[in-house]
């Protein structure tokens, strides 16, 4: 008979080492006595060998062991070793056999531990203590059924990384100082600050009020409550003090509601509500622009919104893709290289830029920062759609006779579908507008050959002339 | 937190409690890190339960219970005489952070009566979410109930910060909506649902963040004359056409200051839980609205037994089902067997022929499932499924609720 003594709590490492040695010596489960804490009365045999080789187990078995070692049942190691033994002796898929009595029993232990972990995540309450340096320290007292203190640590560290906190339990304690986690010895209830020492923590009071107010007396069902939140947890939760009174007064509160006569309505003015709805739409271009400026960019990047420019009532509205680097800095549309090219082409076509309304489908510069450079990113179809409401409302105020879409993004914004610009350039019906599609000047900038660029530029100028004739 | 704020909290939590949607699940895992606060784990955690058996997962409050509208079923309607209160954006932020740090909540569920205009209201709600996320690095869950009459640009702005948007339909049919909520418009509500759905789908494709936990809605049952069948039909359409994540059912509850147009007596709460069970069958068990409704009478579900059992009793010829042979679809239709039990059966029977004793370890609902099953060592005696009193034998007599 071999006796293995593991330390108190969830001794995963100790169990792992023991399994290695026992498996190496092919020791059957019946020949092992597991004891926790104090050495066994039968005396501690020397283990079969000092260092066993690693034991390979299916992942699911490893995961089950990790939780079950947390259980407070003293039998847990014996049961786990039985499982390991059977798995190593041919029953690799033992865990799939949910109807096997051993598997069934271990699944129950596993479930109990998981439930305990879940309840600790849920029912633990921090209280804020003013620290000496004026910073708050959060302290909690909790009584888990199983040895789960280490298992819950990652959850609390992740969630409350920016706070300093301490969790005290009879099974061990945790301390987090915003950088390091330290485990400590078991604690006792008086180690945690009592509720009444925290009169200054008004949040506990506010939370109680919230809890009472969120209860609907017409639906009282304490059985359902107790199934999910057994009484043993109540002592740790400030809000539960109010439960008996809430339950007791519920029937009377409902009765009072039912008996109360239907209230005589106060003066009603439906016009006011309807008018408020009508009024909220921006009623001028300036109003709309204020909205756009206040809004969050719907694309990443962007320091400011770039608004449209030009007279309301302009015969032609030109819609580009989105502001570029220079536009974003200056807050004005078409001032960068592509804008200068557009100005030149307009001049060549004999169109006065000052008489046009110039705007973009997307109101913000989308970019990624690479070192000092801000690299332009094309907006996605979804982002273009996000901006559509603004663009359409804007055009509604300008009321141009013709809308010229420069490039694919603008055409997408105006039609709601992808447009092959080079193939479909020319007049096109837009959603409610007379439209015209042509290339974006930045496309001209990107063309490689001198000759090619010259030809494309001439075609662009011809398009602008045609559009002007249509307006 | 001063007395006035606690007082407001009382009023604005009380006014929000009739909204059923409070779950915090479904968000992508996320963490606040060194500078921020909080995390979302994807599973949702209920931090407490109130004596009505419902869980507290989020701080569920209204920004204000003032309202320009006059929806009859609502305690905040313009013509009601309740006490009114209003939070500032900063106050909601303070409460959310304070309760979150004490581990009382998973996040915020914010709704509001309509003040000044739908846009103004929506903007305030959006500002709460934006302040929490941008100024405080808050990584907990945020659910905003949108004001459908607000402009699309605002609803889209809200979707950038929230984990979930919901748009309450409240009543299953357009005509009851018109009768009970004169300023609301079923068309607008569905248009917003469509718009939000489109944005959610796009954002997923483009890997952007936009209401990542989807959208949900709530239907009130028992305030109008809609049958369970028509309620479920509405839900079926919402799941299919607008890709809703969840439809919540809320049994019309007596409210203080009730309007005289409403029924005096609330519908049995059981109706609500039957609808939830039916909804579950709709989403996860492959039932159609038609099949579910056929289990009851006159378009109403059987209040005495759950809809799966009701269906089985009316389709006895399809039982008993052999647990060692039947396919997953049919096993899912056995009353008392849940999806998890079915999966365990499927995996266990690859190794052994299942006997009753094995099934007892695989499922906790065996008592109810028994008459509908065949196992290696068990065949229901004398065609138990034909016995006329089967229904009685399976229904546990409902007992009076104990009030402590
Ligand atoms: S709009 Fe909303 S808050 Fe206002 S009365 Fe209707 S349901 Fe109530």
């Amino acid at each position: 008979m071999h006796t293995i003594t593991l330390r108190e709590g969830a001794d995963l490492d100790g169990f792992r080492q023991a399994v290695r040695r026992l498996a190496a010596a092919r020791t059957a489960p019946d020949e092992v006595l597991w004891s926790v804490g104090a050495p066994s009365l039968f005396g501690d045999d020397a283990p079969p060998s000092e260092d066993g080789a690693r034991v390979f187990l299916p992942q699911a078995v490893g995961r089950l062991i990790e939780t079950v070692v947390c259980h407070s049942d003293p039998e847990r190691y014996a049961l786990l070793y039985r499982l390991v033994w059977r798995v190593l002796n041919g029953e690799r898929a033992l865990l799939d056999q949910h109807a096997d009595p051993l598997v069934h029993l271990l699944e129950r232990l596993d479930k109990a531990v998981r439930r305990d972990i879940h309840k600790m995540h849920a029912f633990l309450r921090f209280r804020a203590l003013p620290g000496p340096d004026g910073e708050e320290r959060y302290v909690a007292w909790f009584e888990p059924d199983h040895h789960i203190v280490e298992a819950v640590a990652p959850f609390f560290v992740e969630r409350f990384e920016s706070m300093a906190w301490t969790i005290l339990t009879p099974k061990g304690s945790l301390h987090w100082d915003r950088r390091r986690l330290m485990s400590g010895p078991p604690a006792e209830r008086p180690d945690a600050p009592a509720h009444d020492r925290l009169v200054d923590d008004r949040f506990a009071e506010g939370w109680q009020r919230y809890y009472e107010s969120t209860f609907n007396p017409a639906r009282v069902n304490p059985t359902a409550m107790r199934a999910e939140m057994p009484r043993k947890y109540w002592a740790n939760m400030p809000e539960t003090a109010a439960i008996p009174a809430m339950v007791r007064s519920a029937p009377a509160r409902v009765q009072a509601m039912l008996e109360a006569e239907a209230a005589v309505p106060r003066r009603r003015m439906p016009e006011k509500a309807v008018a408020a709805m009508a009024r909220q739409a921006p009623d001028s271009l300036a109003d709309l622009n204020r909205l756009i400026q206040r809004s969050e960019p719907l694309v990443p990047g962007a320091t400011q919104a770039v608004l449209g420019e030009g007279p309301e009532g302009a015969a032609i509205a030109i819609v580009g893709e989105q502001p570029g680097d220079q536009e974003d800095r200056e807050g004005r549309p078409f001032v960068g290289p592509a804008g200068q090219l557009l100005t030149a082409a307009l001049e060549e076509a004999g169109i006065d830029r000052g008489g046009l309304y110039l705007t973009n489908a997307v109101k913000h510069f989308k970019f990624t920062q690479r070192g000092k450079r801000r690299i332009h990113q094309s907006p996605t179809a979804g982002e273009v759609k996000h901006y559509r409401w603004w663009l359409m409302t804007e055009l509604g105020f300008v009321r141009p006779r013709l809308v010229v879409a420069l490039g694919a993004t603008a055409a997408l914004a105006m039609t709601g579908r992808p447009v092959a610009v080079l193939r479909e350039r020319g007049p096109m019906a837009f959603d409610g507008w007379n439209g015209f599609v042509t290339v974006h000047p930045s496309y001209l900038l990107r063309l490689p050959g001198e000759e090619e660029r010259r030809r494309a530029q001439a075609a662009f100028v011809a398009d602008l002339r045609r559009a002007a004739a249509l307006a | 937190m001063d007395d006035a704020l606690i007082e407001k909290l009382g009023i604005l939590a009380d006014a929000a409690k009739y909204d059923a949607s409070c779950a915090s699940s479904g968000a992508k895992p996320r963490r606040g890190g060194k500078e921020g606060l909080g995390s979302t784990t994807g599973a949702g955690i209920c931090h407490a339960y109130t004596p009505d058996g419902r869980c507290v997962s989020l701080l569920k409050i209204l920004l204000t219970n003032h309202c320009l509208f006059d929806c009859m079923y609502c305690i905040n309607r313009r013509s009601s005489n309740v006490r009114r209160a209003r939070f500032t954006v900063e106050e909601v932020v303070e409460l959310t952070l304070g309760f979150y740090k004490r581990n009382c909540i998973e996040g915020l569920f914010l709704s509001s009566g309509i003040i000044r205009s739908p846009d103004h209201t929506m903007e305030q709600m959006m500002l709460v979410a934006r302040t929490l996320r941008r100024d405080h690095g808050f990584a907990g869950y945020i659910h905003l109930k949108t004001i459908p009459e607000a402009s699309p640009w605002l609803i889209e702005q809200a979707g950038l910060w929230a984990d979930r948007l919901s748009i309450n339909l409240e009543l299953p049919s357009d005509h009851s909506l018109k009768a009970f909520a004169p300023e609301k418009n079923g068309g607008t509500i569905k248009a917003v649902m469509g718009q939000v759905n489109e944005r959610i789908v796009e954002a997923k494709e483009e890997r952007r963040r936009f209401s990542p936990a989807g959208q949900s809605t709530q239907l009130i049952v028992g305030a109008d004359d809609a049958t369970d069948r028509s309620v479920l039909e509405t839900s079926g359409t919402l799941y299919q056409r607008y890709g809703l994540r969840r439809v919540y059912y809320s049994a019309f509850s007596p409210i203080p200051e009730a309007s005289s147009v409403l029924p005096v007596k609330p519908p049995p709460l059981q109706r609500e839980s039957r609808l939830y069970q039916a909804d579950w069958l709709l989403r996860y068990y492959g039932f159609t609205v038609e099949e579910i409704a056929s289990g009851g009478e006159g378009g109403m579900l059987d209040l005495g037994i759950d809809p799966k059992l009701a269906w089985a009793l009316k389709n006895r010829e399809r039982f008993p089902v052999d647990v060692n042979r039947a396919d997953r679809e049919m096993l899912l239709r056995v009353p008392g067997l849940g999806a998890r039990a079915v999966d365990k059966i499927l995996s266990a029977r690859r190794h052994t022929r299942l006997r009753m004793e094995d099934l007892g370890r695989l499922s906790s609902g065996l008592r109810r499932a028994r008459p509908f099953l065949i196992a290696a060592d068990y065949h229901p005696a004398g065609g138990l499924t034909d016995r006329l009193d089967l229904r009685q034998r399976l229904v546990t007599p409902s007992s009076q609720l104990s009030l402590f």
Side-chain angles (χ1 to χ4, degrees):
Chain A
M1 187 62 77
H2 301 287
T3 300
I4 307 270
T5 305
L6 300 179
R7 68 172 169 80
E8 290 285 357
D11 191 356
L12 183 61
D13 281 339
F15 181 67
R16 189 182 288 127
Q17 275 165 24
V19 165
R20 286 181 188 174
R21 288 180 314 208
L22 293 169
R26 303 206 47 76
T27 312
D30 289 342
E31 297 166 39
V32 190
L33 251 178
W34 298 87
S35 98
V36 168
S40 136
L41 293 176
F42 299 103
D44 214 2
D45 293 27
S49 80
E50 269 313 312
D51 251 327
R54 293 186 60 184
V55 171
F56 290 92
L57 293 168
Q59 268 187 358
V61 176
R63 271 199 302 271
L64 186 77
I65 292 174
E66 265 174 44
T67 32
V68 173
V69 292
C70 301
H71 203 283
S72 50
D73 187 339
E75 288 287 300
R76 62 191 181 279
Y77 296 115
L79 293 170
L80 284 172
Y81 186 56
R82 266 177 208 288
L83 175 82
V84 171
W85 178 259
R86 283 176 62 187
V87 169
L88 292 178
N89 285 283
E91 294 181 79
R92 297 293 291 180
L94 181 56
L95 279 192
D96 288 346
Q97 299 188 42
H98 307 284
D100 181 277
L102 176 65
V103 174
H104 179 58
L105 185 57
L106 285 168
E107 279 179 351
R108 280 216 334 249
L109 299 186
D110 174 69
K111 205 167 153 194
V113 171
R114 281 177 199 285
R115 185 176 155 89
D116 203 32
I117 290 175
H118 187 79
K119 295 299 183 197
M120 186 159 174
H121 289 169
F123 297 152
L124 177 137
R125 295 286 181 272
F126 281 118
R127 316 205 119 231
L129 293 180
D133 44 0
E135 282 207 50
E136 282 177 326
R137 179 162 194 101
Y138 292 81
V139 181
W141 165 255
F142 196 81
E143 292 160 73
D145 289 336
H146 304 290
H147 306 287
I148 56 169
V149 175
E150 279 164 38
V152 297
F155 172 85
F156 288 104
V157 169
E158 177 167 306
R159 175 157 293 196
F160 302 111
E161 197 180 338
S162 60
M163 294 163 25
W165 49 260
T166 291
I167 295 175
L168 302 169
T169 90
K171 294 196 157 60
S173 51
L174 295 170
H175 308 271
W176 172 254
D177 64 0
R178 291 202 203 87
R179 274 173 306 138
R180 271 169 320 143
L181 180 72
M182 278 163 292
S183 302
E188 282 173 36
R189 171 115 232 180
D191 298 337
H195 290 197
D196 51 356
R197 265 184 45 207
L198 291 160
V199 275
D200 54 321
D201 189 2
R202 300 299 300 276
F203 274 95
E205 218 174 299
W207 182 247
Q208 257 159 32
R209 173 66 72 87
Y210 173 75
Y211 180 75
E212 287 169 27
S213 307
T214 197
F215 160 60
N216 183 349
R219 308 182 57 120
V220 67
N221 184 358
T223 320
M225 168 185 67
R226 276 193 302 248
E228 298 291 349
M229 190 173 72
R231 262 178 187 274
K232 64 176 179 203
Y233 296 112
W234 293 13
N236 304 320
M237 304 167 73
E239 60 266 41
T240 51
I243 291 177
M246 286 159 79
V247 175
R248 236 180 294 115
S249 63
R253 284 174 67 190
V254 178
Q255 202 52 38
M257 269 193 277
L258 292 177
E259 277 165 10
E261 307 226 338
V264 184
R266 294 196 314 179
R267 214 156 51 94
R268 292 212 220 156
M269 295 173 295
E271 314 76 33
K272 208 175 151 194
V274 175
M277 272 195 277
R279 242 201 342 263
Q280 67 185 9
D283 53 14
S284 67
L285 189 55
D287 222 23
L288 173 74
N289 282 339
R290 260 194 301 280
L291 277 187
I292 297 176
Q293 269 166 330
R294 269 213 322 264
S295 299
E296 199 65 21
L298 302 164
V299 292
T303 44
Q304 60 177 323
V306 176
L307 304 171
E309 245 180 44
E312 279 180 56
I316 298 179
I318 293 200
V319 180
E321 184 197 47
Q322 66 167 346
D325 185 70
Q326 209 164 319
E327 282 85 358
D328 180 68
R329 293 177 200 279
E330 291 184 34
R332 295 187 54 209
F334 292 106
V335 289
Q340 283 157 21
L341 207 155
L342 174 69
T343 309
L346 285 169
E347 236 166 63
E348 200 180 332
I351 304 168
D352 168 26
R353 176 174 157 146
L356 301 174
Y357 186 81
L358 297 168
T359 192
N360 282 300
V362 168
K363 307 295 179 204
H364 294 99
F365 176 39
K366 180 181 179 185
F367 66 86
T368 47
Q369 190 84 41
R370 209 162 298 146
K372 280 216 170 95
R373 288 173 56 220
R374 312 198 299 172
I375 312 287
H376 164 276
Q377 305 270 304
S378 286
T380 63
E383 284 161 350
V384 172
K385 269 191 220 163
H386 269 304
Y387 281 94
R388 211 160 171 239
W389 186 81
W390 283 335
L391 178 63
M392 291 302 161
T393 314
E394 181 184 16
L395 291 174
F397 288 118
V398 178
R399 307 221 56 75
R401 286 201 294 277
L402 182 78
V403 179
V404 178
L406 303 182
T409 300
L412 171 69
M414 293 309 300
T415 59
R417 68 173 174 90
V419 173
V421 173
L422 288 178
R423 209 157 4 100
E424 300 183 52
R425 69 198 301 172
M428 183 182 292
F430 289 158
D431 209 0
W433 301 97
N434 292 321
F436 193 97
V437 174
T438 183
V439 297
H440 195 278
S442 61
Y443 155 81
L444 304 174
L445 287 175
R446 285 196 305 266
L447 286 175
E450 181 71 27
E451 170 61 17
E452 203 178 340
R453 191 169 337 138
R454 214 180 39 74
R455 234 182 303 131
Q457 220 148 307
F460 181 53
V461 172
D463 273 354
L464 292 176
R465 271 204 198 97
R466 249 179 101 199
L470 286 171
Chain B
M1 195 188 299
D2 59 13
D3 288 339
L5 188 56
I6 294 181
E7 192 62 28
K8 279 201 249 182
L9 178 60
I11 296 174
L12 293 167
D14 190 295
K17 71 186 172 200
Y18 302 100
D19 214 300
S21 43
C22 70
S24 57
S25 51
K28 291 262 150 51
R30 176 179 62 216
R31 54 194 291 184
K34 288 212 178 323
E35 304 297 324
L37 172 70
S39 62
T40 26
T41 55
I45 297 175
C46 302
H47 283 273
Y49 292 79
T50 53
D52 51 25
R54 298 220 215 177
C55 80
V56 178
S57 162
L58 304 171
L59 173 65
K60 184 161 60 167
I61 48 175
L62 298 186
L63 188 64
T64 173
N65 64 342
H66 285 279
C67 193
L68 280 170
F69 283 22
D70 207 41
C71 312
M72 309 296 174
Y73 48 78
C74 176
I75 184 176
N76 306 315
R77 69 189 186 286
R78 181 175 68 233
S79 59
S80 123
N81 295 312
V82 290
R83 274 181 76 197
R84 309 283 178 167
R86 179 178 178 178
F87 282 132
T88 63
V89 169
E90 293 69 32
E91 284 169 341
V92 177
V93 169
E94 180 192 340
L95 289 173
T96 308
L97 296 174
F99 292 145
Y100 195 92
K101 286 180 177 171
R102 284 155 182 82
N103 203 37
C104 297
I105 51 170
E106 287 293 288
L108 173 69
F109 173 91
L110 186 64
S111 174
S112 182
I114 299 175
I115 29 161
R116 274 210 251 163
S117 72
D119 268 9
H120 173 77
T121 314
M122 193 69 237
E123 185 168 346
Q124 298 289 303
M125 295 171 75
M126 182 271 286
L127 284 176
V128 169
R130 188 170 91 179
T131 311
L132 278 169
R133 289 267 196 258
R134 202 173 57 181
D135 303 352
H136 299 278
F138 181 66
Y141 193 83
I142 300 181
H143 179 159
L144 296 180
K145 188 157 111 183
T146 59
I147 311 288
E149 289 74 15
S151 307
W153 71 272
L154 260 173
I155 293 175
E156 307 209 333
Q157 291 263 312
L160 298 177
W161 308 107
D163 287 290
R164 173 176 281 184
L165 296 178
S166 64
I167 300 144
N168 281 4
L169 197 52
E170 308 287 17
L171 296 166
S173 77
D174 281 347
H175 83 258
S176 31
L177 205 58
K178 212 168 268 157
F180 289 141
E183 288 100 18
K184 282 197 178 166
N185 175 332
T188 314
I189 297 174
K190 288 192 185 145
V192 175
M193 280 183 182
Q195 176 201 345
V196 169
N197 184 38
E198 207 179 301
R199 294 295 172 274
I200 291 173
V201 171
E202 276 164 11
K204 263 204 198 106
E205 282 168 3
E206 297 175 356
R207 294 165 191 281
R208 280 182 291 116
R209 238 187 101 74
F210 186 89
S211 187
Q215 60 172 329
S216 62
T217 195
Q218 161 167 299
L219 291 172
I220 296 179
V221 282
D224 64 357
D225 55 4
T227 59
D228 292 338
R229 178 198 297 262
S230 67
V231 170
L232 289 172
E233 271 164 4
T234 302
S235 309
T237 316
L238 294 175
Y239 287 131
Q240 273 163 25
R241 192 169 316 155
Y242 302 103
L244 259 72
R245 216 40 103 68
R246 255 324 267 285
V247 175
Y248 292 90
Y249 305 94
S250 174
F252 168 69
S253 176
I255 47 174
E257 304 292 333
S259 148
S260 51
V261 203
L262 287 173
V264 193
K265 283 204 60 113
L269 278 184
Q270 196 57 266
R271 190 174 168 201
E272 181 187 295
S273 60
R274 293 292 174 235
L275 279 168
Y276 274 117
Q277 289 167 332
D279 190 82
W280 202 258
L281 297 182
L282 209 56
R283 285 186 294 153
Y284 300 115
Y285 285 73
F287 281 77
T288 64
V289 173
E290 201 39 54
E291 284 173 324
I292 296 168
S294 73
E297 296 297 337
M300 296 305 271
L301 298 173
D302 192 329
L303 289 183
I305 53 178
D306 72 80
K308 198 161 146 189
L309 180 56
W311 178 84
L313 289 177
K314 290 209 175 168
N315 292 275
R316 294 181 191 205
E317 70 288 351
R318 305 192 47 181
F319 297 95
V321 167
D322 187 342
V323 289
N324 285 302
R325 309 245 296 270
D327 57 12
R328 183 163 195 275
E329 216 188 349
M330 200 54 215
L331 285 173
L332 283 174
R333 295 202 166 217
V334 175
L337 289 190
R340 204 167 319 160
V342 167
D343 288 337
K344 281 188 176 179
I345 289 175
L346 290 174
S347 101
R349 79 185 187 186
R350 268 184 261 134
H351 305 277
T352 169
R353 286 193 18 92
L354 296 168
R355 306 158 65 84
M356 258 341 220
E357 192 195 351
D358 300 322
L359 289 176
R361 297 193 201 100
L362 297 180
S363 158
S364 51
L366 195 61
R367 196 183 68 83
R368 281 182 338 121
R370 224 181 158 84
F372 301 94
L373 288 181
I374 295 173
D377 60 342
Y378 171 81
H379 200 288
L384 187 58
T385 48
D386 290 333
R387 288 179 55 160
L388 280 175
D389 63 349
L390 185 54
R391 182 173 197 276
Q392 268 70 44
R393 293 163 46 100
L394 288 168
V395 177
T396 18
S398 61
S399 58
Q400 190 66 31
L401 288 180
S402 79
L403 298 183
F404 258 62

